Amino acid sequence: MEVEAVVEHTASHGAHSPLTQFEVHPLIPLHFGNLDVSFTNASLWMVIAIFVSTFVLFMGVRGRKLVPGRWQSFSEIMVQFINNTLRDVAGDSAMKYFPIIFSLFMFVLISNLLGMVPYSFTTTSHIVVTFALAICIFVVCTIIAIAKHGLGRFLHSFLPEGTPLWMAPLMYFIELFSYLARPVSLSVRLSANMMAGHTMLKVIAGFVVMLGLAGGWAPLSLLVVLTGFEIGIAVLQAYIFTVLTCVYLNNALHLH
Amino acid sequence: MPLDENLPSLDDLQKKIDEANALKGLKKEGEPEEEQPQNMGAALQVGIELVSGVAVGAFVGYFIDHWLGTMPLFFILCFFLGAAAGWRNLVRQARKGTGS
């Protein structure tokens, strides 16, 4: 009975919906003609993500000791990690794109982890943000491929080797569409994972409040486990996003 | 004799090996539970690949139709091409997954 009352209460007021955390509202309204470019809470948290990643790396390179301290160790591990990933996936010729890949990884990683801070806003749970990143990667990779191999060779690469002639038109368009689907799946993967995880956390947290002191301990313990799990997912998804970017870069550099 | 006393230690050693093997076996049994989240991720992956293929196909088809004024033709064509592309990505992903 009590539980029902609580459910009704939250339903009627809508204050504790698990989806309110994803609402975007303008902090500083800005309009250019018909274009709404307001500074929103999403923008604020992206700026914070940039500042945090810059701060962490700045603290890392400030000392430059032979025996690294905590900040320096963290920065060195991150750089080494992305360095190895990029070299393994895309080869030595891709090393000149290291700065952009590293910036991308740090931005996504810090954004994901900032989302785990209570009362914060997870920018990467919005498909707009991740799609903007993914479409930039897609366009840049396409430009690299065309610049390096020429337009003819790039267009020819969509045809898998050994395709029978009567299958060629069909296969060509299937491959073309699978190439076009890359930025979509790249962005949806990250935002869907972040959004699903955060919604789940809020729903379980809602159970804690509903069950109260008597039965709330069970979902609370689950919540602790899930929070740890979610931090793991935040790091893993940032890594997957980076690795897939490296894979696309590799495909662009070494057309088959 | 001290040598006789040393002899049973071979049995002890065997026992230790068996224990270690049993421990290893336990760990192997425990592994599938740890893989559960990865399987969940793979399932999500399947959905995303399929849906993104169809979505891109439908979007491109709709755009071409809007542009040329041939409403259902390219929409339907590209919808199925997009679905096929989604499957193609899926198969590619699955092959890579079993390879590593």
Side-chain angles (χ1 to χ4, degrees):
Chain A
M1 296 266 262
E2 259 191 348
V3 173
E4 276 171 19
V6 171
V7 171
E8 247 172 45
H9 176 79
T10 46
S12 59
H13 286 72
H16 300 293
S17 160
L19 296 175
T20 41
Q21 56 172 325
F22 300 122
E23 274 171 15
V24 177
H25 41 81
L27 299 177
I28 306 167
L30 273 175
H31 293 274
F32 282 117
N34 285 328
L35 203 65
D36 187 1
V37 285
S38 305
F39 190 82
T40 61
N41 52 348
S43 334
L44 175 69
W45 281 97
M46 276 187 265
V47 170
I48 291 174
I50 289 169
F51 270 111
V52 168
S53 53
T54 312
F55 174 75
V56 167
L57 292 172
F58 174 76
M59 290 299 280
V61 296
R62 207 179 50 153
R64 276 189 278 175
K65 296 194 182 82
L66 197 61
V67 179
R70 266 170 289 179
W71 293 98
Q72 198 182 338
S73 288
F74 177 78
S75 309
E76 280 179 7
I77 289 167
M78 285 295 141
V79 171
Q80 198 104 54
F81 179 62
I82 297 303
N83 192 48
N84 290 343
T85 308
L86 182 58
R87 187 160 300 184
D88 288 347
V89 174
D92 281 330
S93 57
M95 286 317 286
K96 62 180 167 188
Y97 303 108
F98 175 77
I100 179 77
I101 300 284
F102 185 69
S103 315
L104 193 71
F105 175 72
M106 284 309 282
F107 179 71
V108 175
L109 179 71
I110 300 290
S111 294
N112 285 356
L113 287 177
L114 276 177
M116 293 308 296
V117 177
Y119 294 102
S120 72
F121 181 87
T122 322
T123 48
T124 42
S125 69
H126 280 259
I127 202 159
V128 199
V129 177
T130 56
F131 190 72
L133 290 174
I135 201 78
C136 288
I137 293 163
F138 176 76
V139 169
V140 166
C141 282
T142 310
I143 289 172
I144 288 172
I146 292 174
K148 201 166 156 66
H149 300 279
L151 188 63
R153 183 133 158 55
F154 171 71
L155 290 176
H156 192 259
S157 74
F158 288 123
L159 199 64
E161 269 175 52
T163 315
L165 197 65
W166 61 277
M167 278 286 282
L170 187 63
M171 282 309 290
Y172 188 82
F173 282 105
I174 288 176
E175 284 292 322
L176 183 66
F177 274 107
S178 86
Y179 184 73
L180 290 176
R182 275 173 177 187
V184 178
S185 68
L186 184 64
S187 56
V188 169
R189 184 180 301 112
L190 178 58
S191 70
N193 269 296
M194 297 315 292
M195 200 163 100
H198 282 254
T199 311
M200 190 172 66
L201 282 185
K202 290 293 191 296
V203 169
I204 306 274
F207 290 162
V208 178
V209 178
M210 283 177 201
L211 293 173
L213 266 178
W217 300 102
L220 184 64
S221 55
L222 182 64
L223 196 62
V224 173
V225 176
L226 280 178
T227 306
F229 187 62
E230 194 57 28
I231 291 172
I233 287 196
V235 177
L236 186 70
Q237 286 303 321
Y239 173 65
I240 289 178
F241 195 88
T242 316
V243 165
L244 282 171
T245 308
C246 293
V247 169
Y248 298 158
L249 190 61
N250 179 40
N251 285 354
L253 289 172
H254 313 284
L255 285 178
H256 43 79
Chain B
M1 283 172 84
L3 249 175
D4 274 347
E5 268 175 38
N6 279 352
L7 271 176
S9 72
L10 218 65
D11 288 338
D12 277 354
L13 194 65
Q14 187 59 46
K15 213 195 252 171
K16 266 185 190 169
I17 290 170
D18 285 343
E19 266 174 27
N21 278 341
L23 213 70
K24 234 189 211 169
L26 258 179
K27 257 187 187 170
K28 262 181 194 165
E29 276 170 35
E31 260 176 14
E33 268 183 311
E34 276 184 78
E35 272 178 18
Q36 208 65 35
Q38 283 180 348
N39 289 344
M40 207 177 82
L44 187 65
Q45 184 69 38
V46 169
I48 289 167
E49 291 291 352
L50 279 178
V51 169
S52 64
V54 173
V56 166
F59 179 77
V60 170
Y62 187 82
F63 183 76
I64 294 172
D65 274 340
H66 205 75
W67 180 41
L68 296 176
T70 52
M71 192 44 206
L73 178 67
F74 282 101
F75 181 66
I76 294 169
L77 199 69
C78 293
F79 183 90
F80 285 109
L81 277 175
W87 276 104
R88 177 100 180 93
N89 269 346
L90 197 61
V91 169
R92 199 178 286 152
Q93 203 89 39
R95 278 209 189 120
K96 212 188 291 164
T98 49
S100 63

